[in-house]
Amino acid sequence: GMMVYGQSAAFLEVAPDARSVGMGGIGSATSADAWSVFWNGAKTALADKDGEIAYSYTPRTIHNMEKSRLHSLAGYYKINNKSALTAAFRHFSPGEMMNMKPEDYALDLGYSHVLLKGLSIGATVRYIHSDLDQEDAHAADAVGFDLSLYYQLTTNLLCKNAVWSLGAGFSNLGTDISYGGDDNKLPGMFRVGTAYKMPFNDHHRLTIAGEYDYRAIPSDEDEYMGAVGAEYLCYNILFVRAGYHWGDKDRGTSNHTTLGIGLSHWHVSADFAYLLADKSSNALDETMRLTVGID
């Protein structure tokens, strides 16, 4: 999985954006943003805004890969009040390893559409290029597909005009990555999540969310993961986030706490997230994300 470079384009599993990372790694059912294409493309058809674009930087994907870098660019554009386009580009370089300089990139293009009031569907196609920079292994290409569903309902439970949402989807179903020798499967994921957004008044809003993920492919690396998180918005300017993520210790993604902060003013936003693992030996300990966006 995330521990072995080159195994099934593992960078595809690295959550690119600071908002979702700050909430424990949750994005299936939270409100739409530039990163919906990664978590659940269907959300964008029901987005409040006309469009959004953002850039995210991950300096170290795992703490013992000092030179690794993940650059991500993503966004959506609403064609009309029932449909939206999503797109993303991710470039991953793990740094120099055993005299190699491997690098990967992925390019996504997606479409989402409202089927019924509050219910939308999304589909994404992803082109993946992986180059191990080895003489005996040529660069490899693969194509992956995502399918997602999203549902939201306005309710007055606990708070007036609260929004309950539910999201689910499959991601990275597709062709194998072959470097000339072994065929590597893409990390096929199933995600399902729920969120509850409570606007207490014009100045304070709280969202609580939970998510369950299952990596089904490759079958020998299957793993169950879960997360809970919260996001508090104060005066439409300051976001404070926290979350907890748990995984399968045998698979190398052991439990971690996440913290996040964000600033939003006019049409510009900046977000930061930080991971703190239960054990300092965990590869994700003290990794971070920095995201900037415009809507």
Side-chain angles (χ1 to χ4, degrees):
M2 285 181 53
M3 308 306 295
V4 185
Y5 176 74
Q7 291 295 312
S8 357
F11 82 101
L12 293 173
E13 291 181 84
V14 179
D17 61 307
R19 180 199 182 196
S20 53
V21 169
M23 294 177 76
I26 287 178
S28 289
T30 48
S31 57
D33 63 14
W35 304 99
S36 300
V37 64
F38 178 82
W39 297 98
N40 180 339
K43 299 194 292 189
T44 54
L46 289 161
D48 297 336
K49 294 166 182 168
D50 292 335
E52 208 169 327
I53 188 166
Y55 162 76
S56 196
Y57 176 60
T58 305
R60 295 178 302 168
T61 49
I62 52 183
H63 72 51
N64 57 359
M65 293 171 75
E66 292 296 336
K67 297 231 170 77
S68 84
R69 302 285 182 267
L70 176 66
H71 297 275
S72 309
L73 189 68
Y76 72 88
Y77 172 73
K78 286 190 75 165
I79 306 162
N80 52 43
N81 62 0
K82 282 208 163 172
S83 52
L85 291 173
T86 54
F89 177 76
R90 278 173 283 166
H91 180 269
F92 175 61
S93 56
E96 218 167 300
M97 303 163 70
M98 301 172 290
N99 298 323
M100 307 187 298
K101 271 195 169 173
E103 59 177 350
D104 290 352
Y105 64 80
L107 186 64
D108 304 3
L109 200 58
Y111 175 75
S112 60
H113 191 76
V114 179
L115 294 176
L116 307 159
K117 182 177 160 61
L119 177 69
S120 58
I121 191 167
T124 304
V125 62
R126 175 171 300 116
Y127 168 69
I128 300 129
H129 179 83
S130 181
D131 189 351
L132 290 180
D133 186 37
Q134 281 175 304
E135 285 174 19
D136 58 341
H138 57 75
D141 300 291
V143 178
F145 301 94
D146 297 358
L147 282 172
S148 54
L149 269 174
Y150 180 71
Y151 176 71
Q152 66 179 30
L153 179 73
T154 304
T155 164
N156 291 329
L157 184 69
L158 300 178
C159 156
K160 205 174 174 191
N161 293 325
V163 178
W164 173 70
S165 53
L166 193 63
F170 289 96
S171 57
N172 296 317
L173 305 170
T175 63
D176 293 352
I177 288 192
S178 172
Y179 299 104
D182 298 337
D183 283 351
N184 290 297
K185 302 250 180 246
L186 296 178
M189 296 281 285
F190 171 70
R191 287 193 175 93
V192 60
T194 187
Y196 202 67
K197 183 165 73 176
M198 295 171 280
F200 297 118
N201 53 43
D202 291 346
H203 303 306
H204 302 280
R205 188 183 86 200
L206 178 69
T207 302
I208 51 171
E211 185 163 313
Y212 171 81
D213 299 345
Y214 173 57
R215 189 201 297 120
I217 306 166
S219 54
D220 59 340
E221 282 185 43
D222 68 308
E223 180 183 0
Y224 298 93
M225 292 165 275
V228 288
E231 175 184 75
Y232 168 64
L233 172 61
C234 181
Y235 284 88
N236 287 321
I237 292 173
L238 175 69
F239 288 93
V240 180
R241 305 180 180 100
Y244 188 75
H245 185 282
W246 62 94
D248 185 341
K249 287 186 175 60
D250 298 334
R251 301 287 188 208
T253 49
S254 54
N255 308 348
H256 52 267
T257 302
T258 66
L259 298 168
I261 194 163
L263 288 170
S264 174
H265 182 60
W266 194 54
H267 296 289
V268 182
S269 62
D271 298 283
F272 176 78
Y274 190 68
L275 276 75
L276 287 162
D278 288 5
K279 295 188 178 71
S280 59
S281 59
N282 181 355
L284 294 174
D285 191 38
E286 296 186 355
T287 54
M288 57 190 72
R289 307 281 187 285
L290 181 65
T291 304
V292 288
I294 188 162
D295 68 54

